[in-house]
Amino acid sequence: MNIKLLIAAHKQYQIPEDSIYFPLHVGAEGKTLISGFTPDNTGDNISSKNPFYCELTGLYWAWKNLDAEYIGLCHYRRYFSASKKILKTENEKFKVVLNREQAEQLLTKADVILPKQRNYYIETIYNHYKHTMYIEPFDITGEILKEKYPEYLKEFEHLKHTTKMHAFNMFIMKKEILDRYCTWLFDILAEVEKQVDTSQYSDFHKRFFGRISERLLDVWLKTNKISYVEVPVIDMQNINWANKIKSFLIAKFTGKRYEKSF
């Protein structure tokens, strides 16, 4: 299988040695290029939109410019891993990231590889977004779906009732499926861009295009009944879960939005 799993990065960082990995410098436009990484500002690209679209500028570049049977997306500090072990050091973690053999085996079972679902338990996906971010762009997305893609409304509305989602904009999928998904996704985001004035938000909050797309992935996959398998995700840098949970609870019960990533 010809698999290209993009590693979205904005700075120099250790990368896995397996041949499926494709290091990509996202937001490369106007920046000093990262050694050993392909920049996302060549060919047909939206690299300059990285402050708003996050890793999606890399996805757009791959969609338009990369020739592969399967294309995926992960992050320089977050990878798929078939291991269930709890590891502490980055060197240990890099040894258990998903490899070619494992990916090929999984892709014989389904069309898409996704991260294990995240469960917010005490609130829905919609309410979590409402409490931690500005909900207006999200609601505008719903209106755009209603007008342009009404067949997706049922699953979009389901986000108001479910506590689970496949997060991080991470996946590996067949190129023909990626073509369909990206055609739909970037058309919607382009409409959101026309209707939302990003200047009203801080640098952190104006990155809502990437966050909305996280929620739209499940909407698209479920509406189109795309088969998938789930794989654990491993964070290369240790997460302060106490601080993360505290911020989550403060946002839910006081309405204080997030002001940084965790």
Side-chain angles (χ1 to χ4, degrees), residues 79-87 92-93 95-99 102 116 231-234:
Y79 292 88
F80 291 110
S81 174
S83 175
K84 297 181 180 179
K85 297 179 180 179
I86 299 177
L87 303 172
E92 289 176 320
K93 292 175 181 179
K95 292 177 182 178
V96 298
V97 297
L98 191 73
N99 60 38
Q102 293 165 338
K116 289 283 187 183
V231 179
V233 169
I234 187 168

Side-chain angles (χ1 to χ4, degrees), residues 51-184:
F52 313 99
Y53 277 61
C54 311
E55 65 274 358
L56 295 183
T57 62
L59 176 61
Y60 184 95
W61 180 89
W63 171 40
K64 293 295 188 179
N65 301 286
L66 195 59
D67 183 21
E69 184 183 2
Y70 291 87
I71 291 177
L73 180 63
C74 62
H75 306 265
Y76 73 95
R77 57 188 179 90
R78 186 179 290 132
Y79 292 88
F80 291 110
S81 174
S83 175
K84 297 181 180 179
K85 297 179 180 179
I86 299 177
L87 303 172
K88 294 184 178 180
T89 70
E90 289 185 37
N91 286 334
E92 289 176 320
K93 292 175 181 179
F94 271 105
K95 292 177 182 178
V96 298
V97 297
L98 191 73
N99 60 38
R100 175 176 294 280
E101 182 180 353
Q102 293 165 338
E104 289 180 347
Q105 184 177 14
L106 289 165
L107 289 168
T108 63
K109 301 176 182 179
D111 292 326
V112 179
I113 298 174
L114 294 176
K116 289 283 187 183
Q117 277 191 327
R118 169 170 283 191
N119 193 336
Y120 289 96
Y121 293 102
I122 62 173
E123 65 178 355
T124 67
I125 300 305
Y126 179 87
N127 283 338
H128 178 258
Y129 195 97
K130 183 177 181 179
H131 293 144
T132 58
M133 306 294 167
Y134 289 92
I135 197 63
E136 291 78 12
F138 195 87
D139 286 341
I140 287 172
T141 302
E143 291 302 312
I144 291 167
L145 284 176
K146 184 177 180 180
E147 179 182 348
K148 299 194 69 173
Y149 302 100
E151 66 272 28
Y152 291 90
L153 266 181
K154 179 180 177 181
E155 289 299 338
F156 185 81
E157 289 298 314
H158 184 60
L159 299 177
K160 296 179 180 179
H161 306 286
T162 183
T163 62
K164 298 177 180 180
M165 66 175 284
H166 294 101
F168 313 126
N169 281 323
M170 288 178 62
F171 53 77
I172 305 174
M173 63 177 68
K174 288 183 177 180
K175 180 60 161 59
E176 56 264 34
I177 295 176
L178 183 88
D179 287 339
R180 291 164 52 200
Y181 172 60
C182 286
T183 299
W184 176 83

Side-chain angles (χ1 to χ4, degrees), residues 238-257:
N238 293 329
I239 296 174
N240 186 334
W241 283 104
N243 187 45
K244 190 177 182 73
I245 293 170
K246 178 182 177 182
S247 297
F248 167 64
L249 293 174
I250 289 174
K252 176 174 175 56
F253 293 112
T254 72
K256 183 179 179 181
R257 298 180 178 91

